[in-house]
Amino acid sequence: MNRQISWIGIIVVAVWVAGCASTPYERKEATSSSLVDLRDSMVTTRGQIEQTLASLNGLTSAPPDQLRATYKQYAKDTDKIAKQAVTVDKESRQMRSRSKEWLAGWQKSQAEVQDPELKALSESRRAQALVRIQNIDRSLAEAREAFAPFVKNLQDVKQVVGNDLTPNGVAAVSETAVVQNANQAGTTAARALDVTIAELEALTQTLTPAASDR
């Protein structure tokens, strides 16, 4: 799967595929496989945040003979992160309802279990998955909220510097609060994604059998 695919979009695919699978085991396998893709894609997005921040700070400290090259890289990274932010804002809002569908399917399946001990075990495992999903949902919301000011500040800098790509122009922009705010918002988004990645790792491990069991 293309690692540049929207990282929230993968969870939607995961739930859809899981719903189409015929058995609980197949649904679990389809979901865990897609969660791995989601994790990998978010790692890529996390890296793009770091790359964009590096480009921003590289631009504000670039020597005069490197201004054009550093600005070109900065503009490219800003466009990339802006596109990802649009997808995050649109599709992360769907995660809560879609994940509820998956959990509801699990609950419906376990309702058919007659043995009280096994039923309790299944409910405990489902409750653990629910906690993970809630943590993922929360961290994705934090990332989405941080993306808005992050992208706005980046685009403002891109526009202003693009109109005055001179040492004095860049120096003036570098002293504004916009650059500081962009760094803060980017750091907040990155930290939120760190939580999401960790929770996805834990959730995937609960759904994936050990290598020796495959």
Side-chain angles (χ1 to χ4, degrees), residues 76-95:
K76 179 180 179 181
D77 288 327
T78 295
D79 290 343
K80 283 184 178 181
I81 206 68
K83 290 179 180 179
Q84 291 175 340
V86 171
T87 299
V88 169
D89 184 63
K90 177 181 178 181
E91 296 186 350
S92 66
R93 299 177 185 277
Q94 301 178 17
M95 180 182 174

Side-chain angles (χ1 to χ4, degrees), residues 68-117:
R68 187 174 297 275
T70 55
Y71 176 77
K72 184 177 180 180
Q73 182 62 52
Y74 170 73
K76 179 180 179 181
D77 288 327
T78 295
D79 290 343
K80 283 184 178 181
I81 206 68
K83 290 179 180 179
Q84 291 175 340
V86 171
T87 299
V88 169
D89 184 63
K90 177 181 178 181
E91 296 186 350
S92 66
R93 299 177 185 277
Q94 301 178 17
M95 180 182 174
R96 184 173 300 169
S97 61
R98 297 306 178 97
S99 60
K100 283 183 178 179
E101 293 177 11
W102 173 50
L103 290 170
W106 187 343
Q107 186 175 35
K108 181 179 179 180
S109 178
Q110 76 181 25
E112 301 173 0
V113 178
Q114 299 299 314
D115 184 84
E117 183 178 8

Side-chain angles (χ1 to χ4, degrees), residues 7-16 35 38 87-105 126 129-145 196 203:
W7 45 270
I8 306 301
I10 302 176
I11 192 67
V12 176
V13 174
V15 175
W16 181 80
L35 288 175
L38 171 58
T87 299
V88 169
D89 184 63
K90 177 181 178 181
E91 296 186 350
S92 66
R93 299 177 185 277
Q94 301 178 17
M95 180 182 174
R96 184 173 300 169
S97 61
R98 297 306 178 97
S99 60
K100 283 183 178 179
E101 293 177 11
W102 173 50
L103 290 170
R126 178 181 175 277
L130 176 59
V131 170
R132 297 295 183 190
I133 289 175
Q134 289 173 334
N135 290 340
I136 292 169
D137 181 51
R138 187 180 306 110
S139 60
L140 289 180
E142 292 175 358
R144 187 180 67 241
E145 291 176 2
T196 306
L203 179 59

Side-chain angles (χ1 to χ4, degrees), residues 1 7 41 79 83 179 208:
M1 183 177 292
W7 45 270
S41 186
D79 290 343
K83 290 179 180 179
V179 173
T208 305

